[in-house]
Amino acid sequence: MSKQNKLNPKLWVDNYADSMFTFAASRVSNNGVAEDLVQDTFLAALKASAHFKGDASEKTWLFSILKRK
């Protein structure tokens, strides 16, 4: 299976946005900032998708990017 098949960016918002927002909101005091962090995470993940090795799940990979934001 190729790297492109392991990631499904079309489903990221539906599958992960709510839990990522909850995670981000628990760490920052502003919901707007939390929303921006999630959006920034999705953009960074799209840019870095060629480097996704598949060692972790898609969700774990996205959350690791979010944690660094």
PDB file of all heavy atoms in Angstrom, residues 35-52:
ATOM      1  N   GLU A  35      -9.386  26.577  17.382  1.00  0.00           N
ATOM      2  CA  GLU A  35      -9.807  26.324  16.004  1.00  0.00           C
ATOM      3  C   GLU A  35      -8.659  26.581  15.028  1.00  0.00           C
ATOM      4  O   GLU A  35      -8.442  25.799  14.096  1.00  0.00           O
ATOM      5  CB  GLU A  35     -10.990  27.210  15.637  1.00  0.00           C
ATOM      6  CG  GLU A  35     -12.276  26.830  16.337  1.00  0.00           C
ATOM      7  CD  GLU A  35     -13.406  27.826  16.087  1.00  0.00           C
ATOM      8  OE1 GLU A  35     -13.179  28.865  15.412  1.00  0.00           O
ATOM      9  OE2 GLU A  35     -14.517  27.574  16.573  1.00  0.00           O
ATOM     10  N   ASP A  36      -7.943  27.679  15.250  1.00  0.00           N
ATOM     11  CA  ASP A  36      -6.793  27.999  14.383  1.00  0.00           C
ATOM     12  C   ASP A  36      -5.725  26.918  14.457  1.00  0.00           C
ATOM     13  O   ASP A  36      -5.116  26.566  13.437  1.00  0.00           O
ATOM     14  CB  ASP A  36      -6.191  29.349  14.759  1.00  0.00           C
ATOM     15  CG  ASP A  36      -7.078  30.525  14.382  1.00  0.00           C
ATOM     16  OD1 ASP A  36      -8.026  30.345  13.584  1.00  0.00           O
ATOM     17  OD2 ASP A  36      -6.827  31.632  14.904  1.00  0.00           O
ATOM     18  N   LEU A  37      -5.482  26.402  15.647  1.00  0.00           N
ATOM     19  CA  LEU A  37      -4.474  25.352  15.812  1.00  0.00           C
ATOM     20  C   LEU A  37      -4.851  24.090  15.036  1.00  0.00           C
ATOM     21  O   LEU A  37      -3.999  23.451  14.415  1.00  0.00           O
ATOM     22  CB  LEU A  37      -4.280  25.022  17.295  1.00  0.00           C
ATOM     23  CG  LEU A  37      -3.556  26.080  18.117  1.00  0.00           C
ATOM     24  CD1 LEU A  37      -3.679  25.771  19.603  1.00  0.00           C
ATOM     25  CD2 LEU A  37      -2.098  26.173  17.706  1.00  0.00           C
ATOM     26  N   VAL A  38      -6.129  23.745  15.068  1.00  0.00           N
ATOM     27  CA  VAL A  38      -6.588  22.563  14.325  1.00  0.00           C
ATOM     28  C   VAL A  38      -6.429  22.799  12.825  1.00  0.00           C
ATOM     29  O   VAL A  38      -5.920  21.936  12.099  1.00  0.00           O
ATOM     30  CB  VAL A  38      -8.041  22.203  14.699  1.00  0.00           C
ATOM     31  CG1 VAL A  38      -8.576  21.090  13.795  1.00  0.00           C
ATOM     32  CG2 VAL A  38      -8.125  21.786  16.169  1.00  0.00           C
ATOM     33  N   GLN A  39      -6.823  23.965  12.356  1.00  0.00           N
ATOM     34  CA  GLN A  39      -6.664  24.278  10.934  1.00  0.00           C
ATOM     35  C   GLN A  39      -5.195  24.272  10.532  1.00  0.00           C
ATOM     36  O   GLN A  39      -4.835  23.728   9.475  1.00  0.00           O
ATOM     37  CB  GLN A  39      -7.282  25.631  10.611  1.00  0.00           C
ATOM     38  CG  GLN A  39      -8.791  25.622  10.650  1.00  0.00           C
ATOM     39  CD  GLN A  39      -9.395  26.989  10.340  1.00  0.00           C
ATOM     40  OE1 GLN A  39      -8.691  27.980  10.186  1.00  0.00           O
ATOM     41  NE2 GLN A  39     -10.705  27.028  10.260  1.00  0.00           N
ATOM     42  N   ASP A  40      -4.354  24.878  11.358  1.00  0.00           N
ATOM     43  CA  ASP A  40      -2.909  24.883  11.086  1.00  0.00           C
ATOM     44  C   ASP A  40      -2.351  23.465  11.041  1.00  0.00           C
ATOM     45  O   ASP A  40      -1.463  23.163  10.240  1.00  0.00           O
ATOM     46  CB  ASP A  40      -2.158  25.697  12.141  1.00  0.00           C
ATOM     47  CG  ASP A  40      -2.393  27.190  12.033  1.00  0.00           C
ATOM     48  OD1 ASP A  40      -2.955  27.647  11.015  1.00  0.00           O
ATOM     49  OD2 ASP A  40      -2.017  27.904  12.990  1.00  0.00           O
ATOM     50  N   THR A  41      -2.869  22.611  11.907  1.00  0.00           N
ATOM     51  CA  THR A  41      -2.433  21.218  11.927  1.00  0.00           C
ATOM     52  C   THR A  41      -2.787  20.517  10.628  1.00  0.00           C
ATOM     53  O   THR A  41      -1.962  19.809  10.046  1.00  0.00           O
ATOM     54  CB  THR A  41      -3.061  20.472  13.125  1.00  0.00           C
ATOM     55  OG1 THR A  41      -2.614  21.089  14.330  1.00  0.00           O
ATOM     56  CG2 THR A  41      -2.694  18.996  13.114  1.00  0.00           C
ATOM     57  N   PHE A  42      -4.011  20.705  10.157  1.00  0.00           N
ATOM     58  CA  PHE A  42      -4.416  20.080   8.898  1.00  0.00           C
ATOM     59  C   PHE A  42      -3.559  20.573   7.731  1.00  0.00           C
ATOM     60  O   PHE A  42      -3.146  19.782   6.884  1.00  0.00           O
ATOM     61  CB  PHE A  42      -5.899  20.330   8.614  1.00  0.00           C
ATOM     62  CG  PHE A  42      -6.847  19.567   9.509  1.00  0.00           C
ATOM     63  CD1 PHE A  42      -8.057  20.122   9.882  1.00  0.00           C
ATOM     64  CD2 PHE A  42      -6.550  18.299   9.971  1.00  0.00           C
ATOM     65  CE1 PHE A  42      -8.946  19.427  10.695  1.00  0.00           C
ATOM     66  CE2 PHE A  42      -7.424  17.588  10.790  1.00  0.00           C
ATOM     67  CZ  PHE A  42      -8.633  18.161  11.142  1.00  0.00           C
ATOM     68  N   LEU A  43      -3.276  21.863   7.699  1.00  0.00           N
ATOM     69  CA  LEU A  43      -2.432  22.406   6.627  1.00  0.00           C
ATOM     70  C   LEU A  43      -1.015  21.846   6.694  1.00  0.00           C
ATOM     71  O   LEU A  43      -0.437  21.463   5.676  1.00  0.00           O
ATOM     72  CB  LEU A  43      -2.399  23.930   6.697  1.00  0.00           C
ATOM     73  CG  LEU A  43      -3.682  24.639   6.279  1.00  0.00           C
ATOM     74  CD1 LEU A  43      -3.571  26.143   6.553  1.00  0.00           C
ATOM     75  CD2 LEU A  43      -3.987  24.387   4.816  1.00  0.00           C
ATOM     76  N   ALA A  44      -0.464  21.802   7.905  1.00  0.00           N
ATOM     77  CA  ALA A  44       0.891  21.256   8.075  1.00  0.00           C
ATOM     78  C   ALA A  44       0.927  19.784   7.676  1.00  0.00           C
ATOM     79  O   ALA A  44       1.893  19.325   7.056  1.00  0.00           O
ATOM     80  CB  ALA A  44       1.350  21.433   9.521  1.00  0.00           C
ATOM     81  N   ALA A  45      -0.116  19.050   8.024  1.00  0.00           N
ATOM     82  CA  ALA A  45      -0.170  17.627   7.675  1.00  0.00           C
ATOM     83  C   ALA A  45      -0.247  17.434   6.163  1.00  0.00           C
ATOM     84  O   ALA A  45       0.402  16.535   5.619  1.00  0.00           O
ATOM     85  CB  ALA A  45      -1.355  16.968   8.372  1.00  0.00           C
ATOM     86  N   LEU A  46      -1.023  18.266   5.493  1.00  0.00           N
ATOM     87  CA  LEU A  46      -1.081  18.172   4.031  1.00  0.00           C
ATOM     88  C   LEU A  46       0.290  18.417   3.418  1.00  0.00           C
ATOM     89  O   LEU A  46       0.718  17.695   2.520  1.00  0.00           O
ATOM     90  CB  LEU A  46      -2.085  19.174   3.467  1.00  0.00           C
ATOM     91  CG  LEU A  46      -3.549  18.783   3.583  1.00  0.00           C
ATOM     92  CD1 LEU A  46      -4.438  19.953   3.154  1.00  0.00           C
ATOM     93  CD2 LEU A  46      -3.856  17.558   2.746  1.00  0.00           C
ATOM     94  N   LYS A  47       0.975  19.435   3.920  1.00  0.00           N
ATOM     95  CA  LYS A  47       2.307  19.760   3.400  1.00  0.00           C
ATOM     96  C   LYS A  47       3.310  18.651   3.685  1.00  0.00           C
ATOM     97  O   LYS A  47       4.236  18.432   2.906  1.00  0.00           O
ATOM     98  CB  LYS A  47       2.799  21.076   4.000  1.00  0.00           C
ATOM     99  CG  LYS A  47       2.046  22.280   3.494  1.00  0.00           C
ATOM    100  CD  LYS A  47       2.533  23.548   4.163  1.00  0.00           C
ATOM    101  CE  LYS A  47       1.712  24.748   3.711  1.00  0.00           C
ATOM    102  NZ  LYS A  47       2.124  25.986   4.394  1.00  0.00           N
ATOM    103  N   ALA A  48       3.146  17.965   4.802  1.00  0.00           N
ATOM    104  CA  ALA A  48       4.101  16.931   5.216  1.00  0.00           C
ATOM    105  C   ALA A  48       3.647  15.522   4.844  1.00  0.00           C
ATOM    106  O   ALA A  48       4.316  14.557   5.194  1.00  0.00           O
ATOM    107  CB  ALA A  48       4.313  17.018   6.728  1.00  0.00           C
ATOM    108  N   SER A  49       2.544  15.394   4.139  1.00  0.00           N
ATOM    109  CA  SER A  49       1.985  14.064   3.881  1.00  0.00           C
ATOM    110  C   SER A  49       2.948  13.126   3.149  1.00  0.00           C
ATOM    111  O   SER A  49       2.897  11.913   3.358  1.00  0.00           O
ATOM    112  CB  SER A  49       0.667  14.183   3.111  1.00  0.00           C
ATOM    113  OG  SER A  49       0.870  14.782   1.854  1.00  0.00           O
ATOM    114  N   ALA A  50       3.833  13.666   2.344  1.00  0.00           N
ATOM    115  CA  ALA A  50       4.796  12.818   1.645  1.00  0.00           C
ATOM    116  C   ALA A  50       5.778  12.162   2.613  1.00  0.00           C
ATOM    117  O   ALA A  50       6.391  11.148   2.285  1.00  0.00           O
ATOM    118  CB  ALA A  50       5.560  13.638   0.613  1.00  0.00           C
ATOM    119  N   HIS A  51       5.894  12.729   3.808  1.00  0.00           N
ATOM    120  CA  HIS A  51       6.829  12.199   4.803  1.00  0.00           C
ATOM    121  C   HIS A  51       6.165  11.228   5.783  1.00  0.00           C
ATOM    122  O   HIS A  51       6.836  10.693   6.661  1.00  0.00           O
ATOM    123  CB  HIS A  51       7.475  13.346   5.580  1.00  0.00           C
ATOM    124  CG  HIS A  51       8.201  14.304   4.691  1.00  0.00           C
ATOM    125  ND1 HIS A  51       9.376  13.982   4.047  1.00  0.00           N
ATOM    126  CD2 HIS A  51       7.895  15.568   4.317  1.00  0.00           C
ATOM    127  CE1 HIS A  51       9.768  15.007   3.318  1.00  0.00           C
ATOM    128  NE2 HIS A  51       8.885  15.987   3.464  1.00  0.00           N
ATOM    129  N   PHE A  52       4.852  11.027   5.641  1.00  0.00           N
ATOM    130  CA  PHE A  52       4.143  10.097   6.521  1.00  0.00           C
ATOM    131  C   PHE A  52       4.617   8.681   6.225  1.00  0.00           C
ATOM    132  O   PHE A  52       4.516   8.188   5.105  1.00  0.00           O
ATOM    133  CB  PHE A  52       2.627  10.208   6.297  1.00  0.00           C
ATOM    134  CG  PHE A  52       1.816   9.266   7.138  1.00  0.00           C
ATOM    135  CD1 PHE A  52       1.677   9.482   8.495  1.00  0.00           C
ATOM    136  CD2 PHE A  52       1.181   8.179   6.570  1.00  0.00           C
ATOM    137  CE1 PHE A  52       0.915   8.622   9.276  1.00  0.00           C
ATOM    138  CE2 PHE A  52       0.414   7.319   7.335  1.00  0.00           C
ATOM    139  CZ  PHE A  52       0.281   7.543   8.697  1.00  0.00           C
TER     140      PHE A  52
END
